[in-house]
Amino acid sequence: MGDNVVHLRKDNDPSTDPATVTTLTVVPAPAPPVPVPLWVRSGRAVKRAVTHERTTTAVRAVARHGLYTLNGGRIVARRTWDGRTGARYERMLRAAEAAGNYEVAQEWEERLQRFREARHRRRMDLLHSPVDAAKGVAVGTGMGIGTLVALGVVLAVANKDVTDVITPLTATVEFIALLIRIVQIVWGPLISIGPFLALLALWAVGRSQQAAPQWALPANVRSGEGEPITPSIVVKALRDLGIPALRNAIKEMGDAGASMLGPIRIAGCGVEVDVTLPSGVSTVEVQQRRRKLAENLTRHEHEVFITIPEAARTVRLWIADSGALDEPIGPSPLVTDETLTANYKSGKAPWGQDLRGDAAALSLYQRHLLITGLSNQGKTASLRALALWACLDRTVEFRIADLKGVGDWAMFDGLATVLIQGPADEQVIEATEMVEGLVEEMNRRIDARRADPKAVFPPLIGIVDEAQVAFMCPVKDEDGRPYGGSKATSRYFMAVRKVHNQGRAVDVILWEGTQDPTDQNLPKLVREGAHTRAALALGTEQQSRMALGDKAVDGGAAPHLLRQGLDKGTLVVASDGIDIPAGQASITVRTHYIDDEQAKAITDRAKALRGSVATVHAIDRGEQRDPLADIATVLGNDSRVRTQEVITRLAALNPDAYSGWSFIDLKRVLDDAGAEPYKSDGRMVVSRDRVAAALANRDTEGSASAS
């Protein structure tokens, strides 16, 4: 549209064939661009100039250094005022009153009174000082002239020249005149340079105190990354928490809130400080604002922990160095020290480090254990680390049910008397019967304790990893009793409850690991039966209360605030078996990670220390037993085994058949087979060779009679 069309006909003949007509299209030239107004171009240029990085940097630099000087003057003026008046004492007095510490307030009032009395005496002395000064000058001048004249007389006598009498006076006058000339020469430049030197001094004071707004400070200072924790930073962070009562109390304090803080102590990879809150501010209010407090301290939420110490109305802040918690801790002593052994009764398992960097060790003696957390957070590794230490005590027996079944506990084959691996219902049934076997062994020991109150039993630790699989199992036995669930008819639940109720007294202990706890997969009675409760990262505060209990969570325990995937292996522990700071209900532990190869090396050391064990991988139910063959099975590769140990292994092999066995039952079977037990080093033992020979003879006699 708008194009000019021109038709050209040959010889200007109208009859010319239209096909021969040439058509030319004339395209007009494009319109010239509309010029941009000068004011628009100028505005854009101004905008670019104003927002340019160099411009903003220059503006910040000018504002920063100017404010350094201005605020430095304010700081010097305040310091001068504090030094000349009782303002400092009055501030400390008001702060002590605001904190409710009236004894300290009275002490500051006495100091203020002494300061005022001393100032009054100085002022009264000033009334007499001119007269005293004049007398002093007159006396000093007279003594000085007399001394110079005496010196001149000595010179005159020595030189035999009477004019030397006034030589010292003349020299003194000339020296004074020289000083006057020097002052006259320096005074002019000093008057000119003096103000600049004073401004430079004020600038230096302001710069050292960073006395400028955040927007004007350099980028590395504005970020606050890795900024050291100082009292002023802590008080400012508390003031800006959004708690009106706390903010107003800090404003009313003469020392701007410094009296609330205890000493800032270095604690591991961070610092620790106790904060005494003013009246009207609850510790819960501060705990609920953990994220905001961390941000005010230029830290991430996981780098600030708030606990409640013994002192009333006090919170304890542990503030990590920026990024320190993302660094791994060192290897476990179980890996680095191949000579390390364990003592179940008196020793403690090296588990990791607390936030202060101190070694965190857990006593396992007669304590049921529960570890829970979200999936893939290090639950099995944390639980296994304790078992790896305990296996270095040759008296400890393990019965393990791994209901995940991916080989996390495979290295205990040949070390545990029972090792069940797999997530199917069949493994849940076997795990249930394993725990029921613990109950039967517990009852046997209780009966033995009644007969002999001084009876001592070797520790028996049952471990069920992924216990939620057992609680959620829908299978029922032939009597219609469910294996899972949390009712009085639930076999696994009731077996666990019985072990929790009485097992500790006879060293029958149960450890459980479970994930994502709920009332269905971790019943209340089970989780409250554990003496040691530990939690990795969890999803909600309600789950934290399930895992650790209300007391621990109310005291500051917060596994639900751990970062899923980033805080693997970090546990919040509530137990009397670990050293917890006074007044706290829990402690945070970063556990040592022991991989599968390292774990196998540790169990190999344990096997060399305690001998091999015949591990049962499935629990037989209801079959006709061959006692002599079972004795040979539990002897394994050991040349001889104590009779009591044989009975224990038989009970683990088949609780239904052997849990009630005594030494008399074992001796009867062996005597009938011709493999009688005998004494070795003062203890009755069973010989593997004798049992093997008895089996061979029995098989030979059976073949002969059959033929």
Side-chain angles (χ1 to χ4, degrees):
M1 295 180 65
D3 293 343
N4 296 323
V5 180
V6 179
H7 302 283
L8 301 179
R9 298 178 184 274
K10 188 177 180 180
D11 299 331
N12 295 326
D13 187 357
S15 63
T16 303
D17 187 0
T20 63
V21 177
T22 301
T23 302
L24 299 178
T25 302
V26 180
V27 180
V34 179
V36 178
L38 179 61
W39 65 270
V40 174
R41 285 181 290 171
S42 301
R44 291 174 181 172
V46 170
K47 181 180 179 181
R48 283 195 300 270
V50 170
T51 58
H52 194 274
E53 183 179 357
R54 293 180 180 176
T55 305
T56 56
T57 302
V59 170
R60 279 200 300 267
V62 171
R64 177 170 65 252
H65 294 293
L67 291 171
Y68 280 168
T69 305
L70 177 62
N71 292 326
R74 293 176 58 251
I75 294 172
V76 170
R78 185 184 182 94
R79 290 175 180 174
T80 304
W81 177 257
D82 288 344
R84 301 293 296 175
T85 67
R88 178 183 293 108
Y89 299 94
E90 293 175 356
R91 283 201 305 272
M92 300 303 294
L93 174 61
R94 289 196 299 270
E97 290 176 344
N101 197 338
Y102 296 107
E103 293 182 0
V104 176
Q106 184 177 2
E107 181 181 349
W108 281 111
E109 186 175 9
E110 292 175 357
R111 291 183 181 182
L112 176 60
Q113 187 62 30
R114 289 196 298 269
F115 169 80
R116 287 173 174 170
E117 291 175 357
R119 184 179 60 184
H120 177 71
R121 286 196 300 270
R122 289 194 301 271
R123 289 177 176 175
M124 294 303 295
D125 290 341
L126 289 176
L127 297 177
H128 306 284
S129 59
V131 176
D132 295 338
K135 291 180 180 180
V137 170
V139 172
T141 302
M143 292 180 63
I145 293 173
T147 302
L148 293 175
V149 170
L151 180 60
V153 171
V154 172
L155 289 174
V157 172
N159 296 330
K160 298 178 181 181
D161 186 357
V162 72
T163 59
D164 286 342
V165 174
I166 63 171
T167 298
L169 288 174
T170 305
T172 301
V173 172
E174 291 177 352
F175 176 72
I176 295 173
L178 176 62
L179 292 179
I180 293 173
R181 285 195 295 271
I182 292 174
V183 170
Q184 289 175 342
I185 294 172
V186 175
W187 184 256
L190 188 62
I191 290 297
S192 302
I193 300 175
F196 294 101
L197 295 177
L199 291 176
L200 182 61
L202 297 178
W203 174 87
V205 172
R207 182 176 179 276
S208 65
Q209 298 292 325
Q210 296 293 329
Q214 283 290 316
W215 61 266
L217 296 176
N220 60 336
V221 177
R222 289 199 310 273
S223 65
E225 190 69 23
E227 185 177 7
I229 299 300
T230 62
S232 60
I233 289 176
V234 176
V235 171
K236 186 175 182 298
L238 293 169
R239 184 196 65 193
D240 297 338
L241 271 184
I243 303 175
L246 180 59
R247 182 179 60 250
N248 295 335
I250 292 175
K251 287 182 178 179
E252 292 174 0
M253 293 180 184
D255 62 347
S259 61
M260 296 192 307
L261 307 184
I264 297 180
R265 305 175 295 273
I266 296 177
C269 57
V271 296
E272 187 177 71
V273 59
D274 287 350
V275 180
T276 302
L277 301 176
S279 178
V281 181
S282 169
T283 57
V284 177
E285 293 180 280
V286 178
Q287 284 183 304
Q288 291 174 345
R289 291 167 171 81
R290 175 182 171 185
R291 173 175 294 182
K292 189 170 185 179
L293 177 61
E295 293 172 350
N296 291 348
L297 293 168
T298 65
R299 295 295 190 270
H300 297 290
E301 183 178 11
H302 71 276
E303 294 175 330
V304 175
F305 288 81
I306 306 172
T307 54
I308 309 299
E310 286 182 324
R313 212 172 67 233
T314 301
V315 293
R316 177 168 294 163
L317 306 181
W318 185 85
I319 307 161
D321 297 336
S322 185
L325 294 183
D326 297 326
E327 299 294 330
I329 64 174
S332 170
L334 295 173
V335 176
T336 58
D337 186 0
E338 295 186 357
T339 63
L340 185 67
T341 58
N343 188 310
Y344 163 79
K345 184 175 181 179
S346 61
K348 289 188 175 184
W351 212 6
Q353 294 179 358
D354 62 16
L355 296 178
R356 296 166 181 80
D358 299 328
L362 179 68
S363 173
L364 307 177
Y365 179 62
Q366 294 186 344
R367 288 178 175 86
H368 301 303
L369 174 68
L370 172 66
I371 298 180
T372 186
L374 299 177
S375 178
N376 194 30
Q377 297 304 302
K379 168 179 52 62
T380 297
S382 302
L383 184 61
R384 189 177 67 182
L386 298 176
L388 289 172
W389 176 81
C391 75
L392 295 175
D393 183 340
R394 65 180 66 193
T395 65
V396 177
E397 178 191 351
F398 291 98
R399 301 182 188 180
I400 301 173
D402 175 15
L403 298 182
K404 185 189 299 181
V406 295
D408 290 334
W409 296 87
M411 66 287 300
F412 280 83
D413 193 358
L415 195 60
T417 53
V418 176
L419 179 58
I420 300 165
Q421 300 181 90
D425 292 340
E426 179 66 21
Q427 281 78 45
V428 173
I429 294 172
E430 293 175 351
T432 301
E433 295 178 348
M434 183 194 80
V435 179
E436 289 175 341
L438 295 178
V439 176
E440 293 176 1
E441 173 64 16
M442 176 189 72
N443 292 332
R444 185 192 69 79
R445 294 184 178 190
I446 291 175
D447 292 339
R449 179 67 61 81
R450 291 196 188 101
D452 182 8
K454 296 183 179 180
V456 178
F457 308 102
L460 171 58
I461 298 178
I463 301 175
V464 181
D465 196 9
E466 305 296 342
Q468 77 279 356
V469 177
F471 284 113
M472 300 302 291
C473 179
V475 178
K476 297 182 179 180
D477 62 13
E478 59 275 8
D479 297 329
R481 295 180 60 196
Y483 286 93
S486 57
K487 297 182 179 179
T489 57
S490 302
R491 291 182 57 178
Y492 180 80
F493 170 74
M494 291 305 299
V496 171
R497 289 290 301 134
K498 290 176 181 177
V499 175
H500 279 177
N501 288 339
Q502 295 177 297
R504 181 193 65 81
V506 289
D507 280 307
V508 177
I509 306 300
L510 182 62
W511 297 354
E512 290 183 289
T514 182
Q515 64 175 257
D516 201 12
T518 65
D519 285 328
Q520 290 71 38
N521 64 25
L522 188 61
K524 184 175 187 291
L525 292 177
V526 171
R527 59 184 186 249
E528 291 186 351
H531 304 98
T532 296
R533 300 167 72 173
L536 297 118
L538 290 170
T540 64
E541 181 180 336
Q542 183 181 5
Q543 288 184 320
S544 297
R545 294 184 180 275
M546 290 182 183
L548 300 176
D550 292 336
K551 180 180 179 181
V553 175
D554 291 339
H560 55 284
L561 297 180
L562 295 174
R563 301 168 298 168
Q564 184 176 1
L566 296 177
D567 289 325
K568 283 186 178 182
T570 300
L571 287 161
V572 182
V573 184
S575 172
D576 62 349
I578 193 170
D579 293 334
I580 297 178
Q584 295 182 203
S586 64
I587 188 171
T588 301
V589 177
R590 303 172 69 197
T591 59
H592 297 294
Y593 175 67
I594 303 175
D595 61 31
D596 291 346
E597 292 184 3
Q598 295 169 337
K600 188 176 185 308
I602 296 171
T603 53
D604 288 343
R605 297 203 319 255
K607 292 172 185 176
L609 180 69
R610 59 198 294 167
S612 60
V613 174
T615 299
V616 177
H617 295 277
I619 297 178
D620 298 325
R621 301 180 297 277
E623 297 85 358
Q624 187 66 31
R625 306 300 307 180
D626 182 352
L628 189 61
D630 286 343
I631 292 172
T633 299
V634 299
L635 289 176
N637 297 324
D638 295 333
S639 59
R640 60 179 182 271
V641 179
R642 290 185 296 110
T643 53
Q644 186 58 48
E645 178 66 20
V646 173
I647 294 172
T648 301
R649 295 181 183 183
L650 287 172
L653 179 65
N654 192 306
D656 293 335
Y658 300 115
S659 61
W661 267 39
S662 64
F663 173 74
I664 296 175
D665 299 315
L666 177 64
K667 187 175 184 301
R668 174 179 50 80
V669 172
L670 294 174
D671 288 347
D672 292 343
E676 298 85 354
Y678 63 95
K679 275 194 175 183
S680 175
D681 296 331
R683 295 185 178 184
M684 296 298 293
V685 298
V686 179
S687 171
R688 181 190 62 187
D689 294 338
R690 290 187 180 186
V691 174
L695 280 174
N697 293 336
R698 189 185 67 177
D699 294 340
T700 302
E701 293 173 359
S703 300
S705 61
S707 60

